[in-house]
Amino acid sequence: MDFYNAYAQGFARVAACTVPVRLADPAANAAAVLEQARLCHDDGVAVAVFPELCLSGYSIEDLHLQDTLLAEVDAAVASIVEASRELLPVLVVGAPLAHGNRLLNCAVVVHRGEVLGVAPKSYLPNYREFFDKRHFAPGDDRRGSTVTVAGREAPLGPDLLFDVTDVPGLVLHVEVCEDMWVPVPPSAEAALAGATVLANLSGSPITVARADDRHLLARSASHRCNAAYVYAAGGPGESSTDLSWDGQTMVYEAGDLLGESERFPDGPRRTVVDVDLDRVRQDRLRQGSFDDNRRTHAARTDDFRTVRLRLDPPTGDLGLRRKVDRYPFVPDDPARLAQDCYEAYSIQVFGLEQRMSTMSSDTWQPKAVIGVSGGLDSTHALIVAARAMDRLGRPRSDVLAYTMPGFATTSETKDYATRLCASLGVTFAEIDIRPAAEQMLTDLGHPYSAGEHVYDVTFENVQAGLRYDYLFRLANHHGGLVVGTGDLSELALGWCTYGVGDQMSHYNVNAGVPKTLVQHLIRWVADSGQFPEDTTAVLREILALEITPELVPTVGDAVPQRTEDSVGPYALQDFTLFHVLRRGYRPRKVAFLAWHAWRDRTEGEWPPGLPEDKRGEFDLPTIHRWLEVFVRRFFASQFKRSALPNGPKVSPGGTMSPRGDWRMPSDASAAAWLRELGRDVPGA
């Protein structure tokens, strides 16, 4: 398995290209196209898309109908076909072509010395500044047709799919400019028929805000069609008699912008990116309504014709031409992160508010009972509970917060919990669980009760279980519900005590929040003025804490217990969680993406507010090690997730709820995943 090769990992490299045109000079324009095509070849590009009518120029008006021009276009196509014998990319080039008694505005698809097919523009604009129907016929009625171009007969129609057989999942469809502006574009039908990469050759003169409209349409098409959308517009050289041109190129994938070029360039530009064919395929598998829509339109989609070809993609390390987020649950863009935090926090608050409101009656209103440790998760759950009480119009004293020091509780975290509760005005109390824990360990005959320093899982779970035993009984005693604090990452890794422990609660507000997002939520709450300054000051101090369960005492100069020493760095494990839960990726692809995201801390973007000392990097052996831990723990811990309490879904990345995003048997085997990890991922 060629681990470092993007094509072997389910990607295909595409390019959206714009070139300066010389009006009515097809030979010069063909040379410009081939210059960029050769650069795309050097870059390992599979599909290169050029603008509408780029061999003639879009803006030549009645010159399109001149025999001299059309003969030159045919010769230009022939020159591109011949040159393509030595080139890797499938070239998609705009040209006017005669068919029967009419002229069609076409995209010619060329590869390795062949014209694979011709896609005509289906819908012609004839309003405002556009006069396409003066020169061209609509191509929507040419399904099933053929055309002669460059001395070759080729299939013609908007019903053509180009299936690259040795790049699994790469199925190309082509439409032209206005086709994407109509309510039901040809690309939508093509996607239902199986196209995964949708190309649009555009002339599209620029006016104020039209670039935003193009982004909207391309993003929407890629999102609705679960596809990549490759867009290339005409630029320099087009006539400025009455219009101007900006040469915009961009590529979207499932609603995400992968890349775009500068507008109003002073020469040729290429947007070269790697589209994720696995993502497209997985999204379609998961969204059953996508194929249901195909059934509705089967009379059209079943008639699509498929042209098959081999690409022989390059091998070896080609790099990866796309951004890979280190923190897929945490946006790098400050505005997007702030919006996500607002929504996540509001989802949690509203969920708890709704649950408490539903349980209330004229004679009884439940209290919110919560254990607070001074750590990140319980801190966030506490401020969610406080805000829910505010929205319900109830006093914060109806939040009953308990700190329950055990054998390893530090004065620092206990102080944070105490100060935070005081600043919030919740009801606060301390219950020392050590006497009860010592009694239980004695009853169990545990070595600790005989004075031995044995800090095993029983020692830890006695403390964790007692804390929640107290919380449930306190809820009985005071008429309340236990608010859970465990997060999504802990549920995925099984880092929670089953039954009477932090796996259980009456309602878990953090169940949908991954560990890597929690600190940003707390920071957003502090920064956005949700609480007074004395509260926000404590929140900022808590943000600097090391993640620890504080269950094992620190002896002498030993390093205090660190959660990440056991389950792995949450940065890596949340990365894996997202790509497994949301994308369904296999271990080798997760490792490949993690290697690109994490191998060099100096490259790429980081979420705002993340301290410099938290910006780490991981080599492939480290990624391999913790990915194996993830797989083993994820499968082994399903029984805990199958019995989860209620809690709101927060992230589109998914949840672990057996009633929501995730269902699997508790006795499923991890063997297949572990075999692939050992076989296909270097660095063991």
Side-chain angles (χ1 to χ4, degrees), residues 14 62 248 445 682:
V14 302
D62 291 352
Q248 185 174 26

Side-chain angles (χ1 to χ4, degrees), residues 183-526:
V184 184
S187 57
E189 292 181 341
L192 294 175
T196 56
V197 175
L198 312 174
N200 186 291
L201 292 72
S202 182
S204 193
I206 188 62
T207 54
V208 170
R210 181 169 288 168
D212 291 340
D213 293 342
R214 296 180 194 141
H215 272 293
L216 175 64
L217 290 168
R219 182 185 183 195
S220 173
S222 74
H223 201 292
R224 286 184 296 100
C225 294
N226 285 334
Y229 201 88
V230 186
Y231 179 90
E238 292 287 1
S239 175
S240 62
T241 300
D242 290 300
L243 296 166
S244 191
W245 314 78
D246 68 338
Q248 185 174 26
T249 70
M250 56 186 164
V251 181
Y252 275 91
E253 174 191 284
D256 294 335
L257 180 63
L258 298 187
E260 62 180 323
S261 63
E262 66 177 289
R263 296 167 55 213
F264 306 101
D266 57 2
R269 293 293 187 274
R270 295 179 301 131
T271 295
V272 180
V273 297
D274 292 330
V275 298
D276 191 342
L277 301 173
D278 288 342
R279 177 186 183 185
V280 171
R281 177 177 51 79
Q282 273 280 341
D283 281 356
R284 291 180 179 184
L285 281 175
R286 292 165 186 270
Q287 187 185 346
S289 54
F290 180 90
D291 192 61
D292 291 343
N293 194 222
R294 176 202 58 79
R295 292 169 53 248
T296 300
H297 298 278
R300 299 269 299 175
T301 60
D302 288 353
D303 289 338
F304 269 74
R305 294 172 288 166
T306 299
V307 179
R308 292 180 173 82
L309 66 140
R310 284 186 59 84
L311 185 72
D312 294 324
T315 59
D317 187 356
L318 306 172
L320 189 62
R321 297 286 190 93
R322 63 187 284 131
K323 178 184 178 184
V324 182
D325 288 321
R326 291 181 173 93
Y327 293 92
F329 291 107
V330 184
D332 297 330
D333 176 68
R336 182 69 256 179
L337 177 57
Q339 177 69 15
D340 283 11
C341 288
Y342 158 73
E343 291 182 347
Y345 180 64
S346 299
I347 289 168
Q348 294 175 274
V349 170
F350 184 82
L352 182 58
E353 176 189 353
Q354 174 69 12
R355 177 53 54 95
M356 299 191 75
S357 177
T358 302
M359 294 177 66
S360 298
S361 67
D362 293 339
T363 59
W364 179 70
Q365 291 184 318
K367 306 284 198 305
V369 178
I370 186 168
V372 291
S373 67
L376 292 174
D377 288 348
S378 66
T379 291
H380 186 59
L382 179 61
I383 58 180
V384 166
R387 181 56 70 199
M389 287 299 180
D390 293 346
R391 285 175 54 90
L392 287 166
R394 295 174 55 185
R396 289 184 187 170
S397 57
D398 282 355
V399 177
L400 311 183
Y402 295 90
T403 185
M404 290 173 279
F407 298 121
T409 302
T410 65
S411 58
E412 182 182 32
T413 55
K414 181 180 174 183
D415 177 64
Y416 286 149
T418 303
R419 289 166 54 204
L420 180 62
C421 290
S423 72
L424 287 169
V426 302
T427 300
F428 177 70
E430 177 182 331
I431 298 176
D432 188 345
I433 67 166
R434 286 172 293 188
E438 288 171 347
Q439 181 62 54
M440 182 174 286
L441 290 166
T442 299
D443 294 342
L444 293 174
H446 191 274
Y448 178 83
S449 64
E452 298 182 38
H453 293 172
V454 176
Y455 306 128
D456 56 8
V457 66
T458 304
F459 179 85
E460 294 188 32
N461 281 348
V462 161
Q463 297 171 78
L466 277 170
R467 284 178 173 136
Y468 270 78
D469 200 355
Y470 273 113
L471 289 174
F472 276 105
R473 302 298 75 79
L474 286 163
N476 294 154
H477 184 54
H478 295 292
L481 61 84
V482 177
V483 178
T485 62
D487 61 54
L488 178 66
S489 310
E490 293 174 341
L491 295 172
L493 294 164
W495 192 247
C496 50
T497 301
Y498 184 69
V500 183
D502 53 336
Q503 177 263 351
M504 188 50 62
S505 63
H506 289 121
Y507 192 78
N508 185 359
V509 295
N510 284 345
V513 180
K515 182 74 77 177
T516 49
L517 181 59
V518 172
Q519 63 174 296
H520 296 280
L521 285 170
I522 296 173
R523 186 175 292 110
W524 176 83
V525 168

Side-chain angles (χ1 to χ4, degrees), residues 631-648:
V631 172
R632 292 186 184 279
R633 294 193 67 100
F634 186 81
F635 274 82
S637 302
Q638 177 59 31
F639 75 98
K640 297 181 180 181
R641 300 190 290 269
S642 294
L644 286 183
N646 293 174

Side-chain angles (χ1 to χ4, degrees), residues 413 546-551 560-563:
T413 55
E546 187 73 65
I547 301 172
T548 172
E550 291 193 329
L551 294 171
Q561 184 183 19
R562 295 179 70 252
T563 299

